[in-house]
Amino acid sequence: MWFVEKYDEKASLGLKVKSKLHEEQSKFQKIEVYDTEFFGNLLTLDGLVMLTEKDEFVYHEMITHMPLNTLKNPERVLVVGGGDGGAIREILKHESIKEAILCEIDERVVRVSQKYFKGTSCELENEKVTLAFEDGFKFLEKFENYFDLIITDSSDPVGPGVALFQEDYYRLVKKALKPDGIMVSQSESPWYYEDTMTSMTEAMCKVFKHVETYTAMVTLYPSGFWTITAASDTHSLHDFDKEKAEKISKSCKYYNAEIHKGSLALPNFAKDIVRNK
Ligand code: SPD
């Protein structure tokens, strides 16, 4: 038995599967969990790979530690999406964190992750964490000048997810951030989502002074060449705290101070796509 994710009829990814552990249609999407031969449990939403137990550390370490080691003393973080809890687990490795809010529209993603991805969701019940099962847009409207960091850990820009890749959303994020805060968003692959990457970075540039795209090698996302984009009025990810990065990297499997620097280097074809050279 194989799980196959098709990339718009252009290419596909196949994973050998032992069995399907879970399938449901929530109010928002189809949630499935497979037990794979090589990657441990696999979570898919509407047929798209979100994470496997074996490789999830790459994405979750990179979407959190890059901005957190750039901020001086981050205390309040919001994750929009990310119901599996991987980003929250990494955020809580930082001692300065006082409050981490997870705003996930689909409570079922959290509950399914708590059952089948215990190593990923392990910090969701930490006392510093608040779970809000709400639409990210509406949730953000309640905040002004509050967060040090806002992470958009969304699924791909299809259906309701499209709104999280647009200028109106970035304006709301900016209002909810402190003036010296940072936002990061997963920003897809330059091989398969060229137009999305161009339009989202253009929109971010209208709202923030600094916009920087960096890479993370996520084996099971389309092409394996994945990107995350950071935006801020005051911070560049190049100016990070090397000591803090080295300290946190002791508990990481991908992130370290060299990766922090190196991941900010883009090949020319990707620079052309994001146009924020
Ligand atoms: N093509 C998959 C993109 C998914 C990015 N978010 C995944 C959620 C993991 N926390």
Side-chain angles (χ1 to χ4, degrees), residues 97-108:
I97 297 299
K98 292 188 175 149
E99 182 182 19
I101 303 180
L102 179 81
C103 176
E104 164 63 64
I105 197 167
D106 192 346
E107 180 173 0
R108 291 303 304 152

Side-chain angles (χ1 to χ4, degrees), residues 49-51 59-60 82 84 153-156 186 188 221-222 226:
V49 172
M50 291 298 121
L51 63 101
Y59 175 87
H60 291 128
D84 51 76
D153 180 9
S154 64
S155 49
D156 301 289
Q186 75 92 352
E188 305 287 325
Y221 287 173
W226 208 250

Side-chain angles (χ1 to χ4, degrees), residues 17 54 59 69 73 83 116 166 174 186 192 196 198 233 263:
V17 159
K54 196 178 176 89
Y59 175 87
N69 288 333
N73 187 41
Y116 295 104
Q166 293 175 348
K174 180 162 177 165
Q186 75 92 352
Y192 291 105
T196 301
T198 301
D233 278 347
S263 68

Side-chain angles (χ1 to χ4, degrees), residues 5 7 43 45 48-51 56 59-60 63 79 81-87 104 109 120 152-157 165 186-189 193 218 220-222 226:
E5 176 179 337
Y7 307 153
L43 175 71
L45 297 179
L48 304 176
V49 172
M50 291 298 121
L51 63 101
E56 56 89 355
Y59 175 87
H60 291 128
I63 205 163
V79 179
D84 51 76
E104 164 63 64
V109 174
T120 311
T152 307
D153 180 9
S154 64
S155 49
D156 301 289
F165 293 78
Q186 75 92 352
S187 49
E188 305 287 325
S189 159
Y193 288 93
V218 187
L220 300 181
Y221 287 173
W226 208 250

Side-chain angles (χ1 to χ4, degrees), residues 104-265:
E104 164 63 64
I105 197 167
D106 192 346
E107 180 173 0
R108 291 303 304 152
V109 174
V110 171
R111 302 305 169 211
V112 168
S113 300
Q114 285 176 318
K115 182 162 179 196
Y116 295 104
F117 297 87
K118 293 196 190 301
T120 311
S121 58
C122 54
E123 293 291 358
L124 287 178
E125 300 207 332
N126 188 300
E127 58 183 14
K128 292 180 181 173
V129 177
T130 304
L131 303 180
F133 299 114
E134 286 181 50
D135 176 83
F137 241 89
K138 291 202 184 113
F139 189 73
L140 274 168
E141 276 167 5
K142 301 177 203 167
F143 294 92
E144 197 166 340
N145 192 14
Y146 189 75
F147 296 104
D148 298 290
L149 171 64
I150 297 179
I151 297 174
T152 307
D153 180 9
S154 64
S155 49
D156 301 289
V158 280
V162 172
L164 303 182
F165 293 78
Q166 293 175 348
E167 189 180 330
D168 288 355
Y169 175 71
Y170 303 140
R171 292 206 180 277
L172 266 184
V173 166
K174 180 162 177 165
K175 181 175 76 73
L177 278 173
K178 291 180 186 162
D180 58 353
I182 301 179
M183 70 153 276
V184 290
S185 173
Q186 75 92 352
S187 49
E188 305 287 325
S189 159
W191 288 105
Y192 291 105
Y193 288 93
E194 192 174 323
D195 294 346
T196 301
M197 287 187 71
T198 301
S199 63
M200 75 186 284
T201 46
E202 272 174 4
M204 281 186 199
C205 285
K206 287 186 193 154
V207 180
F208 293 94
K209 288 197 184 113
H210 306 284
V211 176
E212 293 167 315
T213 297
Y214 59 95
T215 61
M217 301 305 135
V218 187
T219 325
L220 300 181
Y221 287 173
S223 83
F225 178 178
W226 208 250
T227 69
I228 295 166
T229 299
S232 172
D233 278 347
T234 49
H235 290 286
S236 160
L237 296 184
H238 287 277
D239 303 321
F240 69 107
D241 183 335
K242 199 164 172 250
E243 236 172 72
K244 216 163 90 168
E246 273 159 7
K247 194 171 161 210
I248 216 87
S249 83
K250 294 197 172 83
S251 67
C252 293
K253 289 193 271 183
Y254 188 89
Y255 178 85
N256 58 43
E258 289 77 37
I259 286 282
H260 189 120
K261 275 190 258 169
S263 68
L264 286 159

